[in-house]
Amino acid sequence: MAISTDQGQMTGRGLEGFYRAGRRVLSRCQVRVGGREPLAVQARMLTADRARFVGTLRASADGSPDPDVIVERTRHADGTERITLRSAAIRTLRLPVEVALGTDLAELSSVAAGRAGPELPASVHGSGLRWSCVRGHSTVTADPPPSDALASAGLLRWEFELPPGGTRSVELRVRPDGSGANRTVSRGAASPLAQAQAAGDDPRVQPLLHTCVEDLRALSLRDPRHPSDTHLAAGAPWRCGLAPAEALAAARMTLPLGTRLALGTLRTLARTQLTGPRAGLIPGPRRDAGPHLPPHCTATEATLLFPVLLAEARRWGLGQSVAEELLPTAERCLDWLRTAVGDGTYLPDSYPGGPLRCETQAHAHRAAVLGADLLDAHGRPGGAWLRQWAQELRTAFREDFWVEDRGGGRPAVARAPDGRLLSHLAAGAVHLLDTGLLGSGTTAPGLLDKVQTEQLARLLGGPAMDSGWGLRSLGAKEVAYNPFGHRAGAVRVHESAVAVAGLASAGYEKEASSLLHGVLAAAEAFGHRLPEMYAGEPRAQGAVPLPHPAACRPAATAAAAGVLLLTCLAGIRPDAPAGTVTLRPVRGAPLGEIGLTGLRVAGAPFSVRVSRLGLAMVEEAGEGLQLGM
């Protein structure tokens, strides 16, 4: 990845620089023309991995106020930068061009913590410079080669002659250990995601979907030992590697773009599944849970998401043979669930003595119901126990996790070991609405009954949770509310999208529509590149959402959430094994008419249009796919 200010210069301050595999391979890249820095006039993202910076300067001595040299820098995240000079002068210009370079070869974590250290000494190497230390090496090469290279100053220098209307360019290539280019998975035909498009009455839908797909492609990674398997990095700049729970959640939300990403993610994580005392668990890091709950291990969420993603990917068209290949891993995940529950009713916290979390029970219930469906479809045992336990969990949860109050009640966030209910209003409750997809386009049963679901919908759509920019992670009236707290009041895009899809599926379209419009307004303010989260300040006339200083942007779950937000409007519910697809569109048509093309169902192109009246029509589908009722 590459980070700079909108001036285009990399100064080495803060996080600026080129990074590869979590290391800063170049921290400083400053261009001077004729001894001066160009005046920055525009910075623009061209794609998720490419940016363009334009600057100007006056090089003629005629006293005119007009700039006569344009300096354009096109920067790629893979470490390539092209610097182009264009002359608008009426006479030939002779211009010295200097590029000052430097690096500390620091780890991203050290840079973020302010412990990067000084720049390393450079040495002249071929057509550029090289830096070395015990942590590794980095090389910058230039084409054409510079006329001068000064290692002591980290400086490359050229003398260019520009005729009227002429151009000259320099291309810099930054490589660790002198390696070749490291193109992202998004390059060429290797991307596992279909290039879907959106169009309609709302002009925001097209750029949002386009940018989300671009971001997902830019975050795509290959398993080095299994290059055909693709998964998503969690986000840039902070989490450039694999985060199992986030990767599974993002792959699930992007199933309308095809099942290849789901397959690669499942295969990659299957190879990490533990054996021995914790057999069946897919390991994951600890994650902060906000001010009211202790941190918890994301391994639980990842383990429960694995069979859910496999079951739903099968509905979207994942092949029978690859589903059977991954089935043993899913069975071990479900065996882990059965062992962890033991003779109890609830899935306990990953740490002894921890609380029983509402969100965890929602994940576990969905895994049991969809897992049973998956096992039955393949003639494997175990489905009966999962269904029986899910039924017992539903009965107990509706009594044990519901807090009665004068406002109509609410689901508890957790039960303490002593039975005390933690009753603050938080966005984790949206997972109670995300029940999963079964056959014939039906959704799985949920942990709440109809009355409780209606009350939850009312709470999620109320001003304490709906900020106007999306769903707050903690209600604005709760103790320890902080609009910048990532689980204490900030808007997390993933949870907002799950809320929109869940509310719409349950028939609470007014609340879903309000949250949808809020996230779309925030996306527009962020140039349609949704960050992982942003401040939960209430929306005001003419205001824009406040960025969160620690948010990843792009982020896998946020980009995937954009796909879910738009596709859920059509209510696409496929059952590829049965050869059917059912549409349950949002009847209120909150964005007016919308058309989605280039989706994938059962491996074939799929296009759908929802009218202003909320009626859906399939415009393209694979041969033999029937519209269900």
Side-chain angles (χ1 to χ4, degrees), residues 359-407:
E359 185 176 336
T360 300
Q361 310 315 313
H363 290 315
H365 180 264
R366 183 181 59 214
V369 175
L370 270 66
D373 186 61
L374 180 68
L375 295 177
D376 288 354
H378 288 270
R380 306 293 276 265
W385 182 91
L386 290 168
R387 284 196 179 86
Q388 177 63 31
W389 175 74
Q391 177 61 56
E392 294 172 358
L393 178 62
R394 285 195 295 274
T395 302
F397 186 92
R398 293 169 183 178
E399 179 70 26
D400 295 345
F401 271 79
W402 190 258
V403 181
E404 295 290 353
D405 58 32
R406 280 186 279 180

Side-chain angles (χ1 to χ4, degrees), residues 273-284:
Q273 192 172 42
L274 299 180
T275 57
R278 304 172 73 194
L281 196 69
I282 295 175

Side-chain angles (χ1 to χ4, degrees), residues 270-507:
R271 292 188 282 268
T272 72
Q273 192 172 42
L274 299 180
T275 57
R278 304 172 73 194
L281 196 69
I282 295 175
R286 293 183 72 190
R287 182 168 63 195
D288 181 73
H292 296 287
L293 290 172
H296 67 114
C297 182
T298 58
T300 298
E301 184 177 344
T303 305
L304 297 172
L305 270 172
F306 191 99
V308 168
L309 177 57
L310 180 58
E312 291 194 318
R314 178 176 168 272
R315 296 293 176 192
W316 281 90
L318 186 67
Q320 177 78 6
S321 60
V322 291
E324 290 178 349
E325 167 201 333
L326 292 161
L327 189 60
T329 305
E331 286 182 293
R332 288 189 288 270
C333 291
L334 296 170
D335 287 343
W336 172 87
L337 170 61
R338 179 161 48 187
T339 301
V341 170
D343 296 328
T345 303
Y346 299 110
L347 178 62
D349 194 73
S350 53
Y351 300 102
L356 297 172
R357 302 171 194 259
C358 168
E359 185 176 336
T360 300
Q361 310 315 313
H363 290 315
H365 180 264
R366 183 181 59 214
V369 175
L370 270 66
D373 186 61
L374 180 68
L375 295 177
D376 288 354
H378 288 270
R380 306 293 276 265
W385 182 91
L386 290 168
R387 284 196 179 86
Q388 177 63 31
W389 175 74
Q391 177 61 56
E392 294 172 358
L393 178 62
R394 285 195 295 274
T395 302
F397 186 92
R398 293 169 183 178
E399 179 70 26
D400 295 345
F401 271 79
W402 190 258
V403 181
E404 295 290 353
D405 58 32
R406 280 186 279 180
R410 63 180 63 185
V413 172
R415 286 180 63 91
D418 60 4
R420 178 174 49 91
L421 294 177
L422 304 181
S423 61
H424 57 276
L425 186 59
V430 302
H431 295 286
L432 294 168
L433 301 172
D434 179 15
T435 58
L437 183 66
L438 296 174
S440 303
T442 60
T443 55
L447 283 175
L448 299 180
D449 62 28
K450 185 176 181 180
V451 174
Q452 291 171 336
T453 301
E454 182 177 357
Q455 174 64 5
L456 177 58
R458 188 183 70 80
L459 293 172
L460 296 178
M465 292 299 290
D466 186 349
S467 69
W469 301 116
L471 191 73
R472 293 186 178 98
S473 53
L474 183 67
K477 297 180 180 180
E478 302 295 332
V479 175
Y481 166 74
N482 173 5
F484 282 96
H486 81 287
R487 290 187 181 270
V491 173
R492 300 178 70 242
V493 175
H494 175 202
E495 287 175 339
S496 294
V498 171
V500 170
L503 288 166
S505 178

Side-chain angles (χ1 to χ4, degrees), residues 536-550:
E537 289 282 349
R539 184 175 176 181
Q541 184 69 31
V544 293
L546 298 176
H548 193 291

